[in-house]
């Protein structure tokens, strides 16, 4: 199984501005000063191995969309943020070489950054496609139809040709979808959100975004520790630093890098992916947060290590 990140930004898609590209070029050329390269392959090796991530790359700016690839011959996706557009195009290419045209999509919630990719999801125009949408909210279809009302979008929902099925899931119950056992948990967020735990091919992946954790509420924290228990990979909203989450951004419905590490440690999870990046953060800020989080994990580690990854658009994590 491969966990593929198509969109990793929180709240609002972002694009790199020209000044940031320039800063990266200046830093890269400075690092290459005095070096002599024989070939393009030499340059590629220098870029890949010697430049730090924020210089050679970017965390990207599409909003939430994560694929679990290889669980069955059907597609399995979490959320329909703006990253869904790119996923849809890639999935159609894979469908042409034998992949079944069935999409199983799990919704954390219906805030705009998690549904805005849907009007641009090209497979929805294919009459041979089946799209099954699952979530804890019973208002998913309404939210998608409303997004495509004439006042907001030129193509109405009824123009789509795919076959749709909407399923409301209940926390505590187990669903079997696309080769995975799926459970969900209700999370603290405006109008609620849901986290998912997928158990597929002997591995477990938790997708928990847009969730605030109140440190004083031990009962709730313990519920999440059990939900994360022994997960191979936890994808978690780490939008804020701990200081922000505790002070001016308390009650904004998101969690911090520190809470994510604490929950994963208590649950003996193996890997954490920092996700749903704050849109005002540039690449250097996100990189610093990633390094701070790795350091915090090392300081707080009791038994086995938790590997801390930082999501970017295009990241693929094999399991
Ligand atoms: Zn969000
Ligand atoms: Zn939200």
């Amino acid at each position: 199984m491969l966990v593929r990140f198509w969109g990793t930004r929180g709240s609002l898609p972002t694009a790199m501005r020209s000044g940031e590209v320039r800063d990266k070029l200046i830093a890269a050329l400075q690092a290459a000063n005095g070096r002599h390269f024989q070939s393009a392959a030499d340059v590629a090796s220098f870029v890949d191995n010697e430049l730090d991530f924020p210089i050679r790359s970017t965390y990207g700016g599409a909003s939430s969309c994560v694929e679990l690839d290889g669980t069955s011959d059907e597609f399995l996706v979490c959320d329909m943020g703006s990253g869904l557009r790119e996923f849809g195009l890639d999935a159609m290419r894979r469908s042409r070489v034998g992949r079944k045209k069935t999409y199983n999509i799990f919704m954390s919630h219906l805030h705009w950054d998690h549904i805005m990719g849907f009007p641009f999801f090209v497979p929805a125009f294919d009459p041979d496609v089946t799209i099954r949408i699952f979530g804890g909210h019973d208002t998913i279809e309404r939210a998608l139809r409303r997004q495509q009302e004439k006042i907001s979008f030129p193509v109405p929902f009824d123009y789509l040709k795919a076959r749709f099925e909407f399923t409301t899931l209940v926390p505590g119950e187990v669903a079997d979808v696309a080769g995975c056992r799926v459970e969900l948990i209700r999370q603290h967020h405006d109008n609620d959100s849901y986290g998912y735990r997928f158990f597929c091919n002997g591995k477990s992946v938790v997708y928990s975004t847009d969730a605030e954790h109140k440190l004083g509420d031990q009962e709730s924290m313990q519920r999440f520790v059990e939900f994360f228990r022994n997960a191979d990979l936890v994808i978690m909203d780490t939008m804020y630093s701990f200081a922000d989450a505790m002070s001016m951004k308390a009650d904004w419905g998101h969690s911090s890098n520190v809470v994510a590490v604490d929950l994963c440690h208590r649950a003996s999870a193996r890997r954490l992916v920092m996700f749903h990046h704050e849109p005002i953060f540039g690449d250097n800020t996100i990189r610093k947060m990633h390094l701070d989080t790795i350091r915090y994990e090392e300081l707080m580690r009791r038994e086995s290590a938790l590997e801390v990854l930082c999501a970017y658009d295009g990241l693929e994590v094999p399991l």
Side-chain angles (χ1 to χ4, degrees):
M1 173 170 43
L2 203 58
V3 180
R4 194 174 280 126
F5 292 81
W6 294 96
T8 59
R9 188 68 63 161
S11 302
L12 187 73
T14 60
M16 231 191 329
R17 297 176 69 85
S18 63
E20 292 174 77
V21 178
R22 181 174 177 272
D23 289 346
K24 286 175 195 284
L25 283 171
I26 290 169
L29 289 169
Q30 261 181 334
N33 195 14
R35 300 285 290 262
H36 186 69
F37 301 107
Q38 300 289 345
S39 64
D42 275 0
V43 179
S45 167
F46 168 76
V47 168
D48 293 342
N49 301 311
E50 295 186 47
L51 295 182
D52 198 16
F53 187 86
I55 300 175
R56 71 179 142 86
S57 190
T58 180
Y59 290 95
S63 70
S64 303
C65 183
V66 177
E67 178 190 7
L68 272 60
D69 187 16
T71 65
S72 79
D73 59 350
E74 299 180 359
F75 294 102
L76 198 167
V77 177
C78 296
D79 280 336
M80 306 198 289
S82 67
L84 187 77
R85 187 191 68 89
E86 199 67 38
F87 161 72
L89 298 174
D90 192 76
M92 288 202 313
R93 281 192 284 274
R94 283 183 269 160
S95 290
R96 282 196 283 275
V97 289
R99 193 65 171 267
K100 198 168 167 188
K101 291 181 170 184
T102 301
Y103 294 82
N104 300 282
I105 303 175
F106 290 85
M107 300 302 301
S108 64
H109 64 314
L110 304 168
H111 281 165
W112 194 34
D113 55 319
H114 296 257
I115 62 172
M116 59 175 22
F118 181 70
F120 302 91
F121 185 51
V122 183
F125 292 89
D126 180 346
D128 296 330
V129 161
T130 298
I131 299 175
R132 298 195 194 111
I133 305 183
F134 301 86
H137 297 83
D138 60 6
T139 43
I140 297 174
E141 183 173 359
R142 196 174 122 212
L144 298 184
R145 285 182 174 276
R146 196 182 62 165
Q147 180 172 235
Q148 289 183 237
E149 281 177 10
K150 203 173 177 52
I151 196 166
S152 304
F153 200 75
V155 183
F157 187 95
D158 284 330
Y159 187 80
L160 303 174
K161 299 287 182 283
R163 204 162 66 86
F164 283 90
E165 295 169 17
F166 293 91
T167 305
T168 308
L169 300 173
V170 179
E173 292 180 3
V174 176
D176 284 300
V177 179
C180 300
R181 239 178 85 100
V182 189
E183 291 174 77
L184 73 166
I185 189 169
R186 193 160 66 88
Q187 306 179 135
H188 183 71
H189 193 66
D190 189 50
N191 201 36
D192 293 340
S193 68
Y194 292 86
Y196 293 90
R197 185 184 170 101
F198 301 91
F199 188 72
C200 344
N201 305 344
K203 300 283 182 185
S204 53
V205 177
V206 170
Y207 178 75
S208 173
T209 192
D210 296 63
E212 184 165 357
H213 298 276
K214 302 282 184 196
L215 296 183
D217 187 348
Q218 277 308 316
E219 195 186 313
S220 168
M221 293 290 275
Q222 193 55 36
R223 250 179 0 108
F224 280 89
V225 169
E226 295 311 325
F227 196 74
F228 288 15
R229 181 70 68 200
N230 296 325
D232 292 288
L233 191 75
V234 174
I235 301 158
M236 191 166 158
D237 160 12
T238 53
M239 195 157 171
Y240 304 140
S241 68
F242 187 66
D244 278 349
M246 286 298 103
S247 56
M248 61 188 189
K249 290 173 182 173
D251 299 321
W252 286 23
H254 295 281
S255 56
S256 75
N257 54 344
V258 166
V259 171
V261 168
D262 289 349
L263 281 174
C264 287
H265 271 165
R266 285 172 62 183
S268 304
R270 285 173 193 85
R271 279 196 276 187
L272 165 68
V273 185
M274 299 170 65
F275 183 72
H276 202 273
H277 306 305
E278 161 68 54
I280 60 168
F281 287 172
D283 289 322
N284 288 324
T285 308
I286 297 174
R287 175 65 173 158
K288 182 177 180 311
M289 227 170 119
H290 184 197
L291 294 175
D292 287 349
T293 311
I294 290 171
R295 181 82 188 115
Y296 177 76
E297 191 281 324
E298 286 167 355
L299 288 170
M300 301 308 287
R301 188 184 299 164
R302 277 181 228 146
E303 291 152 23
S304 53
L306 169 73
E307 186 186 353
V308 180
L309 309 174
C310 191
Y312 57 88
D313 297 2
L315 172 66
E316 293 183 343
V317 182
L319 279 179

